[in-house]
Amino acid sequence: MTPNAPAPVVDASLHAPGLHVTVEAPARLHLGFMDPAGTLGRPFGSLGLTVDGLSTCVTLGAAERQGASHGPSVPAAELDRAQAHLHTLQQRTGRNAPLHLHLHTHLPSHAGLGSGTQLALAVGRAFASWHGLDLPTATLAQWLARGRRSGIGIAGFDLGGLLLDGGPLASGAPAPLLARVVLPAAWRVLLVTDPGCRGLSGAAELAALASLPPLGQAQAAQICHETLMRVLPGAAGAGFACAAAGLSAVQTVLSDHFAPAQQGEPYTSPAVGRLMRWLADAAQQPADGLATDELGAGIGQSSWGPTGFALLPSAARAQALIDAACAAGVVADGLQWRLATPLDRGARITTAHRLPAHSAPSLHSDPQA
């Protein structure tokens, strides 16, 4: 078992004039719930993974008057959310010194990348660090109403890696982290999303969950078995094919269950689904120089999508498959994709005496970009 990482202890002198605290929180994939219906009395439990290349980044510093600003790629609505979190933190702690918040970049909203939790935790950690407050990330999450079903976003923010949580506690505390595995350095994750679709969230998500029949105990047991005996061991050394097959099996059970809330489809975006199915078949085909253990792919959708993912054994294999998909005409116009590296770390926290520049990463649609 891996305990939650302690919050960093920060010197209280950080809130000096001119000092800025910057927090960059990585994207996370939600790979599936273990038992959303709680057939043994405890619902949820989650499997997730942090990846590089897409992040939410905020900077907090002293100001004569409370204020906020954002980078050119950030919608005003995201800045409003960040400011609301800052206001909540000031009310919770009684620390009301005026601050300026700058939102450099944000994860795409309602795309299955954890944007809401990572924004809240980035603001929360920047606030705590600037004030020299030794607050656990789980506490910040509770204050900001995050992590009520899944603890993957919290553990991903603190630690990164392939993560398994045990579901939220009866007390309302976020889910405990049960396991953390660092994926082999060569493995890659192909992310594909459809900007024309949005995953469910908020009231719509709650209504969709309420409309579904409970996931049966046999299906929950299968998910847990695949996770415990194929996904985690494969990542820890039993081999890529083991982990990929287990992850695809988990996603198959869950996609069948959640499909009625997605117009009967396993993917929110039909275009993403078509590409994911093609990749699943193509990844099984032998290729020159490819070892038997490198066949296959861990295929699925992160949370409610529309982001689909393919876990692959190497960057070369991932590039070969996406090139073949483009040549086969199965990458629909408008789809955006990115080849990501699994992260073995959580958020980055830095301090400086000036506001840092930060360029916005993005998914792209040009295979040669």
Side-chain angles (χ1 to χ4, degrees):
M1 294 179 67
T2 305
N4 287 313
V9 178
V10 184
D11 189 284
S13 65
L14 279 184
H15 54 281
L19 195 75
H20 295 85
V21 177
T22 297
V23 179
E24 185 176 13
R28 68 95 183 102
L29 303 179
H30 194 283
L31 305 177
F33 285 124
M34 300 295 101
D35 185 2
T39 57
L40 294 177
R42 298 196 62 258
F44 302 115
S46 300
L47 183 69
L49 175 68
T50 52
V51 294
D52 76 345
L54 293 164
S55 64
T56 288
C57 183
V58 304
T59 293
L60 204 61
E64 292 185 2
R65 293 181 297 178
Q66 190 93 350
S69 57
H70 61 87
S73 67
V74 176
E78 292 301 306
L79 185 62
D80 291 343
R81 294 172 71 189
Q83 287 182 280
H85 292 318
L86 180 57
H87 179 67
T88 297
L89 292 161
Q90 289 174 319
Q91 286 188 313
R92 281 276 189 173
T93 62
R95 306 294 181 102
N96 295 311
L99 296 168
H100 185 89
L101 184 151
H102 184 77
L103 182 54
H104 300 269
T105 61
H106 78 108
L107 292 164
S109 302
H110 312 303
L113 298 174
S115 62
T117 295
Q118 298 312 303
L119 176 62
L121 296 182
V123 174
R125 181 54 62 211
F127 179 86
S129 296
W130 193 85
H131 285 285
L133 301 175
D134 184 11
L135 290 169
T137 303
T139 298
L140 296 171
Q142 283 188 289
W143 286 359
L144 299 174
R146 309 306 304 183
R148 290 174 171 173
R149 284 189 292 275
S150 171
I152 293 304
I154 299 169
F157 183 90
D158 276 341
L159 298 168
L162 178 66
L163 305 159
L164 176 67
D165 78 53
L169 302 179
S171 64
L177 181 63
L178 303 182
R180 174 182 182 266
V181 179
V182 175
L183 295 188
W187 292 10
R188 294 293 184 269
V189 183
L190 179 65
L191 304 177
V192 182
T193 196
D194 184 345
C197 295
R198 288 166 64 92
L200 294 175
S201 64
E205 180 183 13
L206 293 175
L209 290 171
S211 70
L212 294 170
L215 183 71
Q217 190 173 44
Q219 288 77 21
Q222 181 183 354
I223 292 170
C224 293
H225 194 185
E226 294 284 354
T227 299
L228 184 61
M229 296 309 296
R230 287 215 284 188
V231 179
L232 295 180
F240 171 78
C242 178
L247 181 54
S248 291
V250 166
Q251 282 282 314
T252 296
V253 174
L254 290 170
S255 65
D256 288 345
H257 175 67
F258 287 108
Q262 299 176 152
Q263 290 75 51
E265 294 293 331
Y267 293 89
T268 297
S269 164
V272 170
R274 179 185 178 213
L275 176 56
M276 291 294 106
R277 285 187 284 269
W278 187 92
L279 287 170
D281 290 338
Q284 296 291 343
Q285 305 306 312
D288 291 342
L290 196 68
T292 301
D293 187 57
E294 295 179 314
L295 290 176
I299 298 284
Q301 174 177 279
S302 179
S303 188
W304 291 104
T307 300
F309 63 82
L311 178 67
L312 295 161
S314 67
R317 178 62 166 163
Q319 190 64 56
L321 285 170
I322 195 65
D323 288 347
C326 291
V330 294
V331 182
D333 290 343
L335 286 188
Q336 297 178 337
W337 62 269
R338 167 180 286 273
L339 190 58
T341 301
L343 274 182
D344 61 357
R345 62 162 178 84
R348 284 197 173 114
I349 305 166
T350 58
T351 60
H353 285 276
R354 61 184 178 85
L355 186 68
H358 195 94
S359 60
S362 64
L363 296 167
H364 61 74
S365 55
D366 179 1
Q368 304 303 318

